Amino acid sequence: MSEHIVSPKTYLLIFLSLMLGTGLTVWAAFQNFGKFNIVIALGIATIKATLVVLYFMHARYSPKRTQLVIVCSVFWLAIMLALTLSDYDTRSHETQPGEGRLVQPAASCLFSA
């Protein structure tokens, strides 16, 4: 099996793309997109992770079976993220002033009087 040799120009282009993605991540962290904050952050992270897997882990030039394993893994990750985001979407995100999101433990109610 022969190895595929990637040119330094390609690595430089991917590196610059990752740096651009990092800058975009920092910029997006200071913006208020409402409910889409998490979606945008995960979208940027997914693009950056895809670049790392394809080029730095050489998945782009790997055998078809390895690519199938990667696609199945990404599909499973998408299922897990969809379930997580749907659970996050169904929760109440509003609290009363002076009230935290955590509920007092039952034992502390016995000793407060």
Side-chain angles (χ1 to χ4, degrees), residues 14 17 29 48 59-60 65 74 84 102:
I14 297 303
S17 299
K48 288 168 46 179
R60 181 168 184 199
R65 185 176 294 167
V74 170
T84 301
L102 298 177

Side-chain angles (χ1 to χ4, degrees), residues 4-11 55 58 61:
H4 188 275
I5 298 175
V6 182
S7 71
K9 182 180 173 184
T10 302
Y11 280 132
Y55 290 97
H58 302 280
Y61 311 107

Side-chain angles (χ1 to χ4, degrees), residues 53-89:
V53 168
L54 286 177
Y55 290 97
F56 292 121
M57 296 176 68
H58 302 280
R60 181 168 184 199
Y61 311 107
S62 63
K64 295 293 182 193
R65 185 176 294 167
T66 304
Q67 291 177 357
L68 177 65
V69 169
I70 292 170
V71 168
C72 290
S73 300
V74 170
F75 181 69
W76 181 250
L77 177 65
I79 292 172
M80 293 291 110
L81 286 176
L83 291 173
T84 301
L85 290 174
S86 67
D87 178 60
Y88 180 78
D89 191 42

